Structure formats: structure tokens, C-alpha cells
């Protein structure tokens, strides 16, 4: 069944009575309607163990969902529901979405309810109707995906209320700094001002020492992670029958140009299509992307979730909407431009089965457009260091990991237990990585690549980096609200590592240019006169710290670039300071945004720059059996 469909020429013709009699009720009535009994039986027998025949045929694309349920309605003698009449005013949208039944506004209409039966319920519905226990005039039938789309369209607020706000207020970035944090920051500023008035040199020394200690901690953590030897785990791969249902989520916004490539990447997974539950989340105002997806007429393993309007318009909000209806035992997150390795899902599922204590796996991200510009080349080296060296090293040391925004694999129960994503944090990946560690969930590194495109234009790169820096600041604010509880959750060693990972990264980005200038000033002014013992001692410390910082940046970059077969030339070495100056500028811009425009990036953090679009009409279109 290559490509999720059978050759239509092989499906023509009438099968013998034996084949027809072997078909279950939910398939027998469509035999001959473009599909022969033999072909249906053959497709059923080829489905993995534990997969219902109808699920296999719909998810493979052999049957088109909308057309199948239209034929089911004709077979039962009932109406096929397309959205009229509307649902009854007292309809519980969340409960109805889970059970697939909704009461209708019965004024002037014969049907009192609409039923969207899943594969296990269709045969019972057929039996109840044929036995006379359920009159076909009393209900209408629709497909599960159409039903879900209509429920979200008509009852969007109720769905949002159920899907969002899972986190307690203390672990969400929505409220910003707490009263205690604000008071502590005010007292610290007042103390610094008083010290500066009393002794400016002492204040300068205190600030310098604070920066030096922060830099030192970051260098030590980065160096330890870079040299840690994480064992390469190669579990025995699960067979098709052993694999669990896997939910795959992609949040899309203004992605009409690349969505077809994403679908091709998902279709290339070495995973039974009957065990895939793929969620494509699209903003309602993004008509262009939604129209492009509908034009592809995707099989039933794909579900298009139209996110209702509202704030914040962020990626984690879209992910939480998908999480609310996830059917898999495991869940993976991808971005629109991703091309994951075909075997990645099977490998992740096998790792989860082999290591029952692992709750999350971070696959390696690799940049494929390294030659587009010097920015994309530097970005590629940065990613290689992070995902090939640092994250595996942190995992080997049993320290918290700041997840990447894509190619995260979760046990669904663990993800729900950790509260899902914080829709108000624009670095939801880093926040979730720390929260998983606080809740006692284990995160590992997955030896599988996902290639993606790095921004190669300065404006796009800078906007993305500002958003990341703001998110890291938000993450630090969230997890430092109750520092004693933070240490209690993680333990002293892991809490210190998490603090260095979050706070140290932000502080290093903000102040390393000042440290570099100070180092150069010390080096060039050393011979201008006799130096005090204190100055000589601090100079030596600063020189050692500067050399260690260069080592911690350059050596891992060279190693990672060599492993990825990038060219790490003298030009790349010379461009590293320029690249990190831009990172520092982005960090300072994030500070400005947090102070003067605290909600700006939260509103525009999802996808590319928003465009004015018109809300789409009803979801789904009728289609014949089989692929177009």
C-alpha cells in the first residue's frame, strides 16, 4: 500500500460471496462501490495487530472519511450532517467532542441529534438501526473530523477553556513577576544605588564579580556537558504490531508554501499509517494555509484543527489545543519546515519501550541551508553544538535540558502530567524542559536527525532570537518565584545546573561584550604603569576566564562542525564574535520589549509575520472513495 493508497485499477470488479461474507458490517455495505470485497479483505488482513479494519482503511487513505460516512448515512437511511441545523444551545461541547454525539436545534427539523461514530461504534449503529431500536429519522450521521471541526467552530470558547489554562498560575508566564520578585528586584536596585553613592569602586567590583561568577558557572556547565560521554542507546526496533498509536502535531501559521513538503515528510515515516494520529493546527484567520491543506484532501490519519481566535496567538496555545484531542500513547512535535528522518518515530517508540523511565526524548536538529548566508552557517554550527554535544551531555549527567522547539517526543501521560505547554511563554520548549525536570520526568537525547531551515536574513534571524531571549527571561522569572521550592523539586545539584542553564544563558548574552571590552582594556593598559597586587590578581583571573570562555565556545564548535562535516574555517572563527554580538543585541532588545511592550511578542510569536486574511468557511469537502 505504497503512499497510503492502493492502485484503483486493482480494486475494480466484484468479489465472490465468500469474500463479501467475511467483511464486517461496517465494510460490507460499501463493497462494490468502487472497492471490491477482495481488495477490502486484503487491506484488512494487512493491517497491524490491534488496528480496527475501518481505521486501517481510513487512515491509509483507501477510504476517504467524508465519503465513507456519507455512504453510511445513505445505507442507514438518515441524513448526512453538514452543519445545519446548529447544535442545541445547552450542548456540552467538551463532552460531545469526546463521545461523538451532539443534540441539535430541533426546530423545524426531524433529526434530534447528530452522531459521529468512530470505527468501533459503526457496526453497533448499523445493528441498532437495522433492528429498529434506533429510527433513522431521529438522527443524522457525520464524519468524526467534520464533527470536531463544527464543534470547534460553533463552541470555540468552551473548547479553549478546556484545552488551555492547565498550569497553575505560579508556573505560567502570564502573570509576569510576582510581588515578591518585584520587591526583591527593587531592594537590590536600591542597595546597588546606595552602594554606588557610598563607594562607586566597590559597586563596580561587586557587579564585576557577579558577572565573573555567572560566566564561570556557565563555562563549567557547558564544558562538562560537551565532554560528557552519553551512551549511544540502540534499542531493538518494535515491529508494526508492537508499535503504539503515535500523535504527531504541527502548529502552522502562514505556512501555505511549505505545508505540502511537511505532508510529504510525514507520509515518509516508517510507521504504520493506521497507527498515526496527525494534528495540523491552523489559525482560523490563516485562510491561505487552511485552503491549501483542504485542497490536498488528506486521509483520516490527518486531523485539521482550526484554532479559534483569541490571545495569546502563540505556538504553545496551538499545541495545547491539539493535546486536548490526542489519541496516541506517544506524541511528537514538529515545525512546518521540518524534515524528520523517516525512522524517527519508530526509534522513539522503541526507546520508550526499552527505557520505561524515560518520559521525553529530544531528537537532533540539523540545519540544511548552511550555504544560504553566513548567518545560516553560524546557526548550523550553534545547533550542532547544542543538539550533538550539549543536550546529550546534560542527559548523560542527569541534568535538566532546555528542549528545542521541535522534534520533541513525549509519553502522552507524562506530558499531560507536566501540564502541557505554557501558552504565555514564547520559549515554551525551554520552560517545559525545566518543568519536566521539576516534576521528576526524565528527558533523554534521541540519535535521530530532523533537518530544518535556519533564518538566513538578518531581520528574520533577529526577530526569532529576540523572541527566544524573551522566553528564556520569562522562564527564569517563572521558575524563580519560589526558589526554595525550586531547589526542593530538583535537588541542589540539578537546581544549580538549571539556574545556570537559564539565568546564565541570559546574563552571558547580555554582558559578554562588556566583559570582552574589559578584558581587552586590562590587556592593553597593563604596561602603562605599576599595578596593585589586587589588580594583578584580578587581571590573571579575567584572562583565565576569557580563555576558558573562548575554549568553551570554539572547541565544541570545531568538534561539532567536524562531526557534521561543516567547514570550520578561519572565516567562521572570525565571525563567531560578530554572531554573538548580534545575540547580545537581541537579548537587550528583549529586555526593552519586556519593559515597554510586555505582550507584543506573545501576540506575534506563532509562525511568521501575520497577514490580514478572511475567516474560512466550513471545514471539509465531499470526496469520492479512495485518493483523488
Amino acid at each position: 500500500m505504497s503512499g497510503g493508497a492502493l492502485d484503483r485499477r486493482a480494486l475494480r470488479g466484484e468479489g465472490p460471496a465468500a469474500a463479501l461474507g467475511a467483511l464486517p458490517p461496517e465494510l460490507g455495505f460499501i463493497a462494490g462501490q468502487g472497492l471490491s470485497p477482495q481488495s477490502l479483505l486484503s487491506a484488512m488482513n494487512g493491517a497491524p495487530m490491534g488496528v480496527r479494519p475501518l481505521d486501517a482503511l481510513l487512515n491509509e487513505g483507501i477510504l476517504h472519511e467524508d465519503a465513507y460516512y456519507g455512504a453510511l448515512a445513505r445505507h442507514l437511511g438518515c441524513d448526512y450532517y453538514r452543519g445545519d441545523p446548529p447544535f442545541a444551545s445547552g450542548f456540552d461541547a467538551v463532552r460531545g467532542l469526546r463521545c461523538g454525539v451532539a443534540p441539535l436545534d430541533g426546530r423545524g427539523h426531524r433529526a434530534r441529534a447528530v452522531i459521529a461514530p468512530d470505527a468501533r461504534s459503526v457496526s453497533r449503529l448499523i445493528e441498532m438501526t437495522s433492528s429498529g431500536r434506533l429510527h433513522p429519522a431521529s438522527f443524522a450521521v457525520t464524519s468524526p473530523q467534520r464533527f470536531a471541526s463544527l464543534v470547534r467552530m460553533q463552541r470555540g470558547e468552551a473548547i479553549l477553556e478546556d484545552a488551555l489554562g492547565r498550569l497553575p498560575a505560579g508556573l505560567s508566564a502570564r502573570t509576569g513577576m510576582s510581588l515578591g520578585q518585584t520587591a526583591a528586584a527593587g531592594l537590590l536596585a536600591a542597595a546597588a544605588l546606595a552602594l554606588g553613592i557610598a563607594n562607586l569602586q566597590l559597586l563596580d567590583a561587586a557587579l564585576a564579580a557577579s558577572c565573573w561568577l555567572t560566566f564561570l558557572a556557565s563555562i563549567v556547565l557547558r564544558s562538562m556537558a560537551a565532554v560528557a560521554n552519553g551512551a549511544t542507546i540502540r534499542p531493538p526496533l518494535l515491529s508494526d504490531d508492537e508499535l503504539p498509536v503515535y500523535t504527531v502535531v504541527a502548529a502552522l501559521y502562514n505556512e501555505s508554501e511549505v505545508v505540502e513538503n511537511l505532508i510529504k515528510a510525514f507520509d515518509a515515516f516508517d510507521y504504520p499509517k493506521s497507527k498515526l494520529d496527525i494534528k495540523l493546527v491552523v489559525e482560523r484567520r490563516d485562510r491561505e494555509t487552511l485552503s491549501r491543506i483542504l485542497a490536498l484532501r488528506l486521509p483520516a490519519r490527518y486531523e485539521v484543527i482550526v484554532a479559534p481566535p483569541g490571545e495569546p496567538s502563540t505556538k504553545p496555545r496551538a499545541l495545547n489545543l491539539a493535546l486536548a484531542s490526542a489519541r496516541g500513547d506517544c506524541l511528537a512535535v514538529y515545525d512546518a519546515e521540518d524534515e524528520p528522518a523517516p525512522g524517527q518515530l519508530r526509534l522513539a517508540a522503541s526507546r520508550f519501550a526499552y527505557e520505561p523511565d524515560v518520559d521525553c526524548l529530544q531528537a537532533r536538529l540539523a540545519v540544511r541551508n548552511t550555504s544560504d548566508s553566513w548567518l545560516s552557517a553560524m546557526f548550523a554550527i550553534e545547533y550542532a553544538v547544542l543538539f550533538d554535544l550539549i543536550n546529550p551531555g546534560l542527559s548523560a549527567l542527569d541534568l535538566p535540558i532546555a528542549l528545542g522547539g521541535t522534534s520533541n517526543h513525549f509519553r502522552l501521560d507524562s506530558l499531560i502530567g507536566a501540564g502541557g505547554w505554557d501558552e504565555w511563554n514564547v520559549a515554551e520548549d525551554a520552560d517545559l524542559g525545566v518543568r519536566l525536570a521539576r516534576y521528576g520526568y526524565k528527558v533523554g537525547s534521541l540519535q535521530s536527525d530532523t533537518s530544518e531551515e535556519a533564518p538566513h536574513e538578518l531581520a528574520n534571524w533577529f526577530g526569532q532570537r529576540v523572541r527566544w531571549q524573551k522566553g528564556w527571561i520569562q522562564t527564569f522569572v517563572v521558575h524563580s518565584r519560589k526558589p526554595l521550592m525550586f531547589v526542593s523539586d530538583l535537588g541542589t545539584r540539578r537546581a544549580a545546573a538549571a539556574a545556570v542553564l537559564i539565568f546564565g544563558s541570559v546574563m552571558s548574552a547580555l554582558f559578554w561584550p562588556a566583559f570582552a571590552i574589559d578584558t581587552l582594556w586590562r590587556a592593553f593598559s597593563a604596561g602603562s604603569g605599576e599595578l596593585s597586587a589586587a589588580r594583578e590578581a584580578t587581571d590573571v583571573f579575567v584572562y583565565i576566564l576569557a580563555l576558558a570562555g573562548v575554549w568553551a565556545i570554539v572547541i565544541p564548535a570545531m568538534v561539532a562542525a567536524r562531526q557534521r562535516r561543516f567547514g570550520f574555517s578561519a572565516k567562521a572563527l572570525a565571525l563567531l564574535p560578530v554572531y554573538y554580538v548580534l545575540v547580545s543585541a537581541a537579548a537587550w532588545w528583549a529586555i526593552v520589549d519586556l519593559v515597554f511592550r510586555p505582550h507584543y511578542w506573545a501576540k506575534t510569536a506563532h509562525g511568521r509575520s501575520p497577514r490580514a486574511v478572511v475567516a474560512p468557511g466550513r471545514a471539509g469537502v465531499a470526496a469520492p472513495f479512495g485518493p483523488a
Side-chain angles (χ1 to χ4, degrees), residues 567-592:
F568 193 83
S569 59
K571 178 181 177 182
L573 182 62
L575 286 172
L576 271 177
V578 179
Y579 186 78
Y580 284 108
V581 164
L582 291 175
V583 171
S584 182
W588 282 106
W589 193 279
I591 295 291
V592 172

Side-chain angles (χ1 to χ4, degrees), residues 300-321:
R301 64 180 176 272
Y302 288 92
E303 180 183 9
V304 182
I305 298 177
V306 181
E311 292 183 359
S313 181
T314 57
K315 175 184 174 182
R317 175 181 183 263
L319 296 179
N320 280 331
L321 284 172

